[in-house]
Amino acid sequence: MLTNDDAIAEKVKQLRNYGSKIKYQHDLAGCNSRLDEMQAAFLRVKLAVLDEWNARRKEVATQYSKLLAGGDIDLPLIPEYAEPVWHLYVIRSKQRDALKAHLEEQGVSTAIHYPIPPHLQACYQGFQERHLPIAEWLAEEVLSLPMFSALEAEEIEHVASATLRFRQMIGC
């Protein structure tokens, strides 16, 4: 899109990024439309290795699940009919913020994907009076561990051992 109006340009940028100026804060109901021709060209080349990368992320997820089993941290549940490719590896903890801080201290970057439930976003003002307890509960507990196909075994073990140390610290 071309415009000489800064306000229009800013609004279009916001709309193409889920209606967000600030990550995870959605003032407008937007969409994910950030794929331009250059990005598409790069992704087309990457399609040749997509299956390999997906297989590797499955291996990473399997290793996380083995190392983190048991205790008070909930691991992803995989229904029998599903075969995830593990874009994210999301755990849940009642002490999520403390766990996140602990992992950051151990050099492990984590993310809280969607800390504000959709019905509480500014763009959905008509829904803010609704009580959606599962969405609210998940927004308070979810934490994404590092997940990408190039994670080395030592890095996975570091993330897991740092997480297990946190469990021991809080007595889970």
Side-chain angles (χ1 to χ4, degrees), residues 10-164:
E10 195 59 37
K11 188 166 186 175
V12 168
K13 284 183 199 173
Q14 187 176 357
L15 286 169
R16 75 175 183 165
N17 188 33
Y18 302 110
S20 177
K21 286 184 186 178
I22 299 170
K23 193 171 190 172
Y24 303 127
Q25 291 183 12
H26 306 284
D27 300 318
L28 304 171
C31 61
N32 179 354
S33 181
R34 296 170 288 187
L35 184 66
D36 59 31
E37 289 79 8
M38 186 68 79
Q39 293 293 328
F42 286 124
L43 290 174
R44 186 173 182 192
V45 171
K46 290 181 175 184
L47 281 174
V49 293
L50 182 60
D51 289 340
E52 179 184 330
W53 288 349
N54 285 345
R56 177 64 187 136
R57 284 196 308 274
K58 287 178 188 180
E59 291 172 8
V60 171
T62 298
Q63 193 63 23
Y64 272 147
S65 294
K66 285 180 186 174
L67 294 170
L68 295 172
D72 196 25
I73 295 171
D74 293 323
L75 303 181
L77 177 65
I78 307 161
E80 278 186 35
Y81 59 83
E83 189 178 336
V85 294
W86 299 101
H87 166 66
L88 300 172
Y89 189 88
V90 182
I91 61 172
R92 292 192 346 259
S93 172
K94 291 183 185 347
Q95 291 88 21
R96 188 261 320 269
D97 294 336
L99 173 58
K100 179 174 177 46
H102 169 78
L103 291 173
E104 296 287 337
E105 289 171 6
Q106 303 300 309
V108 177
S109 294
T110 61
I112 300 170
H113 287 90
Y114 308 105
I116 303 169
H119 69 289
L120 298 179
Q121 295 285 346
C123 63
Y124 296 119
Q125 291 180 1
F127 295 94
Q128 292 180 352
E129 298 301 318
R130 296 190 181 186
H131 179 60
L132 301 175
I134 295 173
E136 294 165 13
W137 161 61
L138 289 172
E140 293 174 6
E141 291 190 3
V142 296
L143 184 65
S144 296
L145 298 181
M147 172 52 76
F148 52 96
S149 61
L151 270 174
E152 300 289 338
E154 304 81 39
E155 293 170 313
I156 299 164
E157 290 169 15
H158 175 70
V159 172
S161 64
T163 303
L164 294 172

